[in-house]
């Protein structure tokens, strides 16, 4: 039998080595990809378990907490009827009231976040006269800022149009940001609210002076349960969910939100479409004239 032998050249050997190296790299990358995918799937599973757990706990706690709140209100009425003026008893009752309200707020915030994340929060849109609506919304903050020796300034652009929005969501946005400003503004400094039209959007600007969020904390202020360290001067407390909810509500209404810290202040800016997309109007106002952004 005749056999022909072929001597591999140096170039052949280099080529085989390159192919072998590339194959080894491809195999290693495939294994790394599979490992990364498994980790991602596990993290997603754990995240779902966490959300399910929070949702279950929130629903289970809502009923007993509501009962505790009602019982506290009945105790307060009883104290008044019996003319109980014992300072210690009233102090304990006030603690019970404050703590139950805080826990109910936490539960409601968690459930609201769940609905927003799942996209199941209904939008019930209505025509809204901004001037009249805003005056009724900010009244309590005028009293609060006066009590805390803060200056509260409101600026409304002339000829603001009637907008189409979900009033409860818009009210939550405004009250959360004003509440946040009241908590962190030193006595003697200003809180400003400005509303105008900008690029066919409703523009809202909330700014409080005398305090700045540290630059390293700015990227985290919209995270769940995140609170700026040592910033609550009056120890009002909170759930750490207010800004998270605010940002999600703004996005749910089709808008976007930014935060910055110019000139020793904290400024939140919001742009909302004059009519949120993909909303279903209430039957009573199904014939609204919805502006096009």
């Amino acid at each position: 039998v005749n056999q022909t032998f072929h001597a591999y050249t140096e170039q052949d050997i280099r080529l085989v080595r390159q192919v072998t190296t590339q194959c080894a790299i491809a195999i290693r990358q495939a294994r790394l990809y599979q490992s990364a995918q498994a980790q991602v799937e596990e993290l997603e599973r754990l995240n779902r378990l966490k959300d399910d757990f929070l949702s279950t706990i929130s629903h289970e706690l809502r009923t007993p907490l509501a009962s505790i709140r009602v019982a506290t209100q009945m105790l307060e009425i009883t104290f008044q009827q019996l003319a109980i003026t014992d300072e210690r008893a009233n102090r304990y009752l006030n603690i019970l009231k404050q703590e139950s309200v805080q826990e109910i707020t936490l539960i409601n915030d968690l459930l609201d976040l769940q609905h927003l994340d799942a996209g199941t929060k209904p939008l019930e849109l209505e025509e809204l006269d901004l001037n009249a609506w805003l005056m009724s919304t900010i009244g309590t903050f005028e009293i609060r800022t006066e009590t805390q020796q803060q200056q509260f300034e409101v600026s409304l652009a002339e000829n603001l149009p009637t907008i189409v929005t979900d009033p409860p969501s818009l009210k939550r946005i405004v009250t959360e940001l004003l509440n946040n400003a009241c908590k962190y503004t030193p006595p003697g400094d200003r809180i400003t609210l400005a509303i105008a039209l900008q690029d066919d959007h409703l523009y809202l600007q909330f700014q409080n002076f005398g305090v700045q969020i540290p630059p390293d904390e700015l990227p985290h202020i919209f995270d769940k349960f995140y609170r700026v360290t040592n910033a609550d001067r009056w120890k009002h407390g909170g759930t750490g969910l207010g800004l998270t909810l605010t940002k999600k509500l703004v996005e749910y209404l089709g808008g976007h939100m930014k935060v910055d810290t110019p000139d020793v202040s904290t400024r939140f800016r919001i742009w909302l479409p004059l009519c949120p997309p993909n909303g279903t109007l209430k039957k009573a106002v199904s014939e609204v004239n919805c502006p096009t952004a």
Side-chain angles (χ1 to χ4, degrees):
V1 179
N2 293 327
Q3 295 182 343
T4 302
F5 295 94
H6 174 73
Y8 289 99
T9 65
E10 190 66 29
Q11 183 178 359
D12 292 334
I13 295 172
R14 284 200 302 270
L15 178 61
V16 171
R17 285 176 176 171
Q18 289 176 357
V19 171
T20 304
T21 301
Q22 293 298 322
C23 288
I25 292 173
I27 292 171
R28 186 169 185 274
Q29 288 179 335
R31 289 174 177 170
L32 288 173
Y33 176 77
Q34 289 178 341
S35 176
Q37 283 295 104
Q39 291 177 356
V40 168
E41 291 173 1
E42 178 64 12
L43 288 173
E44 290 176 347
R45 186 184 72 84
L46 292 174
N47 192 53
R48 285 195 300 271
L49 286 175
K50 178 205 68 177
D51 289 341
D52 290 344
F53 172 76
L54 288 175
S55 175
T56 301
I57 291 297
S58 299
H59 281 289
E60 291 298 323
L61 289 178
R62 173 179 265 183
T63 299
L65 281 171
S67 299
I68 291 172
R69 186 175 185 181
V70 171
T72 304
Q73 292 171 344
M74 296 305 297
L75 271 176
E76 188 173 23
I77 294 172
T78 303
F79 274 32
Q80 292 172 353
Q81 290 175 342
L82 298 178
I84 297 176
T85 58
D86 182 78
E87 182 179 344
R88 186 169 54 179
N90 279 285
R91 185 170 69 250
Y92 294 155
L93 180 60
N94 286 330
I95 292 173
L96 185 59
K97 284 171 55 181
Q98 293 170 5
E99 295 300 323
S100 62
V101 167
Q102 184 170 335
E103 293 306 309
I104 290 171
T105 300
L106 173 60
I107 298 303
N108 290 335
D109 287 351
L110 286 170
L111 291 174
D112 286 344
L113 278 173
Q114 182 199 16
H115 290 309
L116 286 168
D117 287 337
T120 56
K121 180 178 174 60
L123 275 181
E124 295 187 341
L125 306 182
E126 298 179 4
E127 288 183 322
L128 194 65
D129 181 345
L130 281 171
N131 292 279
W133 175 85
L134 186 65
M135 291 302 105
S136 65
T137 302
I138 66 174
T140 56
F141 290 99
E142 293 176 335
I143 299 172
R144 181 175 173 182
T145 51
E146 183 177 352
T147 302
Q148 295 183 174
Q149 300 177 352
Q150 299 158 333
Q151 303 171 44
F152 185 31
E153 301 172 3
V154 179
S155 174
L156 294 180
E158 294 182 1
N159 302 321
L160 285 174
T162 297
I163 67 168
V164 178
T165 190
D166 179 31
S169 296
L170 183 59
K171 182 174 182 178
R172 186 67 182 273
I173 291 168
V174 172
T175 55
E176 283 290 348
L177 290 177
L178 287 178
N179 181 61
N180 195 68
C182 289
K183 286 171 65 175
Y184 300 126
T185 302
D189 274 301
R190 288 185 299 139
I191 299 169
T192 64
L193 167 60
I195 300 181
L197 283 180
Q198 191 177 101
D199 300 327
D200 294 325
H201 279 66
L202 182 67
Y203 173 72
L204 301 94
Q205 178 178 294
F206 303 78
Q207 189 167 4
N208 57 305
F209 295 82
V211 64
Q212 280 184 311
I213 299 173
D216 58 330
E217 298 202 59
L218 272 178
H220 306 291
I221 63 171
F222 295 115
D223 295 345
K224 291 180 182 178
F225 303 109
Y226 188 83
R227 299 182 64 193
V228 178
T229 309
N230 299 323
D232 191 349
R233 297 167 182 267
W234 290 277
K235 305 300 179 185
H236 293 296
T239 63
L241 294 175
L243 289 179
T244 308
L245 265 172
T246 300
K247 188 172 187 293
K248 287 186 177 291
L249 284 171
V250 168
E251 293 170 351
Y252 209 64
L253 292 177
H256 62 282
M257 179 177 182
K258 293 182 179 180
V259 58
D260 58 3
T261 55
D263 302 326
V264 194
S265 71
T266 299
R267 179 176 63 180
F268 292 91
R269 292 179 291 167
I270 295 172
W271 292 264
L272 292 173
L274 298 182
C275 183
N278 304 321
T280 302
L281 299 176
K282 284 184 175 181
K283 292 180 180 179
V285 289
S286 58
E287 298 295 327
V288 297
N289 178 23
C290 187
T292 302

